[in-house]
Amino acid sequence: METPPEMSQLSRKEYLAKMRWRYAQRGRDGKSRLLDELCEVCGYDRKYAIKLLGGKFAATKGKVGRKPVYAKEVIAVIKPIWLSSEQPCGKRLKELLPHWLPHFERREGALSNVLRCSVLAASAATLDRLLSPYRSAHPKRWRAPKPGTLIKAQVPVRTDNHDITEPGSIEADSVAHCGGSLLGNLVWSVNLTDIVSQWTQTRAVWNKGQYGVVSAIAHMEAALPFALRSVDIDNGSEFLNWHLKAYLSERKDKPSVHLTRSRPYHKNDNAHIEQKNWTHVRQLIGYDRLGEEACVEALNAVYEDWNLLQNLFCPTMKLKEKRREGGKYHKTYHRAQTPAERLLAWSGLSKDKRAWIKRQQREQDPFELHGRVEVKLRALWKIVRDAIAEDD
């Protein structure tokens, strides 16, 4: 049975007060009839109506539950410690109280044994509950945001590249030659690839500081046969910094370059460069550690010939269409072409760059390039072996 909509909460309270007085004056039969009336008027269950008229709810005064264990004196001790320790959470506050309490007693006076035991016995959840009324009254002081937080708002997110039809939009990433451990100093490879032509440039840097990475990007940009239009990066600190943003936006003799970033933990947003990290870096160098600074120059010598070999003479596949039929994906690819061929087919390529690519195709011998890469790789690994022998 539902409560009649015309009876408000105030009306029910007044009605119950009158019914309790009548209920106390009746005998067994009279109480039964009053219960029938209350259930019909208010829509209550009979057992609930008995409790209401019996006065069990009305007799309850004050706060329901057990009495508080921790008195105000406990709060008077933990609150100043909590504020002075930069308002830690209960789990951290629980662990720092034994260290701070002797100093608190030295400043404010000795505590009784009962009070000291109560302060130290409070659980992390209890400490959070006792201090919860004061959190809004004592907000934490403003702190500088973590590195990269402010610049993230300045760099828009890009998740696809279907609207890119001309060369000049590149994806960038870095590869660590760490041997399984990022501790200490090591060599990193900075990798750039053009989305349309697949033209790829790679250069080694010592560690991944923002100045070294931007210098590597500037060096690789000078070797590109097209002008930069946009750069898409991940959320690593080597790229997501003000130094790179300034380099791309504050250009005196060149148009500014649009900087975008992928979503965190979404590698497919930068699928092109992730593929080139494997084909142009890992398949060449592997996963061994390059922990000597001399390896940077040796690896850059390798990349000098490796970039020409890959861009001029090694065809790559580009996805033309991808469709789903039932539970399977069907992919169709364009004819395999070298990055140089794709650039030569582009009408926007300048005459100077077109002539340069054709001259490189005529003058460079892929067998000689491959041979030079192998010789320079042996020189690189000799540096690594010599460093290991010295450590032993």
Side-chain angles (χ1 to χ4, degrees):
M1 182 183 297
E2 296 182 356
T3 303
E6 63 273 8
M7 180 171 285
S8 65
Q9 186 176 3
L10 179 61
S11 299
R12 280 201 303 271
K13 287 183 178 180
E14 295 175 350
Y15 178 67
L16 281 173
K18 183 66 175 178
M19 290 294 286
R20 287 194 186 100
W21 181 84
R22 293 173 59 193
Y23 189 78
Q25 311 301 319
R26 298 293 191 270
R28 183 181 181 88
D29 294 338
K31 288 182 177 181
S32 179
R33 288 192 296 271
L34 285 177
L35 286 172
D36 293 338
E37 177 185 342
L38 180 63
C39 292
E40 181 179 357
V41 173
C42 296
Y44 292 144
D45 182 78
R46 193 172 184 83
K47 290 292 185 182
Y48 183 65
I50 292 173
K51 293 179 180 180
L52 288 176
L53 295 183
K56 292 184 179 180
F57 289 141
T60 303
K61 295 183 179 179
K63 186 177 180 181
V64 180
R66 66 180 183 179
K67 295 182 180 180
V69 177
Y70 298 97
K72 294 181 179 179
E73 290 79 6
V74 175
I75 300 177
V77 174
I78 64 175
K79 182 182 175 183
I81 297 177
W82 173 69
L83 290 174
S84 298
S85 58
E86 299 298 325
Q87 305 178 30
C89 65
K91 292 181 179 180
R92 294 175 57 213
L93 182 61
K94 170 70 176 176
E95 301 302 325
L96 68 82
L97 279 175
H99 303 287
W100 285 61
L101 203 55
H103 302 281
F104 177 84
E105 292 186 85
R106 190 157 46 245
R107 294 170 63 91
E108 304 295 336
L111 304 178
S112 65
N113 291 332
V114 175
L115 180 57
R116 187 184 302 106
C117 291
S118 297
V119 170
L120 296 176
S123 66
T126 298
L127 294 173
D128 281 330
R129 185 178 68 254
L130 293 176
L131 294 170
S132 60
Y134 308 103
R135 293 189 183 277
S136 58
H138 300 278
K140 287 186 177 182
R141 71 178 70 179
W142 184 88
R143 290 183 175 88
K146 293 181 179 179
T149 302
L150 293 177
I151 195 172
K152 279 187 176 181
Q154 305 292 326
V155 181
V157 173
R158 186 182 187 90
T159 60
D160 59 68
N161 45 61
H162 299 298
D163 57 334
I164 298 176
T165 58
E166 294 185 351
S169 298
I170 66 172
E171 293 179 359
D173 201 1
S174 59
V175 181
H177 302 286
C178 59
S181 174
L182 291 173
L183 297 176
N185 299 318
L186 56 110
V187 178
W188 291 70
S189 288
V190 181
N191 216 9
L192 308 179
T193 189
D194 180 59
I195 294 174
V196 173
S197 68
Q198 300 291 291
W199 188 280
T200 303
Q201 294 289 141
T202 312
R203 188 165 178 82
V205 295
W206 183 239
N207 294 321
K208 58 170 185 174
Q210 57 184 6
Y211 298 103
V213 170
V214 171
S215 299
I217 292 177
H219 187 278
M220 289 185 286
E221 183 186 3
L224 294 175
F226 47 79
L228 280 184
R229 300 171 182 266
S230 66
V231 176
D232 193 41
I233 60 175
D234 59 15
N235 293 269
S237 60
E238 69 271 26
F239 296 114
L240 195 60
N241 55 70
W242 294 106
H243 194 56
L244 177 60
K245 191 174 188 304
Y247 168 76
L248 296 176
S249 59
E250 301 172 4
R251 302 159 73 90
K252 297 180 180 179
D253 53 345
K254 300 178 182 178
S256 61
V257 176
H258 189 52
L259 181 64
T260 58
R261 62 184 176 91
S262 63
R263 295 170 294 177
Y265 310 109
H266 287 73
K267 285 193 172 184
N268 278 346
D269 288 354
N270 284 348
H272 296 85
I273 193 61
E274 293 294 342
Q275 181 193 51
K276 297 302 183 290
N277 288 344
W278 169 249
T279 60
H280 285 59
V281 180
R282 288 304 185 193
Q283 285 188 338
L284 177 68
I285 306 300
Y287 291 87
D288 292 327
R289 183 179 183 87
L290 304 181
E292 299 296 320
E293 192 169 0
C295 293
V296 175
E297 184 178 353
L299 185 54
N300 279 329
V302 174
Y303 285 146
E304 183 179 356
D305 292 322
W306 180 250
N307 290 334
L308 287 174
L309 179 64
Q310 295 293 322
N311 291 324
L312 296 176
F313 301 106
C314 295
T316 59
M317 303 285 288
K318 284 201 65 178
L319 184 66
K320 181 179 182 181
E321 183 185 8
K322 178 182 177 181
R323 66 184 187 279
R324 180 172 181 174
E325 294 181 2
K328 295 183 178 180
Y329 283 98
H330 296 270
K331 299 179 182 180
T332 306
Y333 293 88
H334 292 282
R335 180 180 65 88
Q337 291 179 298
T338 65
E341 287 179 308
R342 292 193 182 96
L343 285 178
L344 291 175
W346 176 41
S347 59
L349 187 64
S350 66
K351 293 182 179 180
D352 294 340
K353 296 300 182 181
R354 187 181 300 274
W356 178 83
I357 293 176
K358 290 183 178 180
R359 185 171 64 254
Q360 292 295 320
Q361 288 178 324
R362 291 193 308 268
E363 296 177 355
Q364 297 291 346
D365 185 338
F367 294 98
E368 291 183 2
L369 287 174
H370 184 268
R372 292 203 298 266
V373 168
E374 293 297 329
V375 171
K376 293 176 180 179
L377 277 176
R378 286 194 290 270
L380 171 66
W381 295 124
K382 185 178 184 302
I383 296 174
V384 177
R385 290 193 301 270
D386 291 345
I388 295 175
E390 290 180 4
D391 293 339
D392 294 340

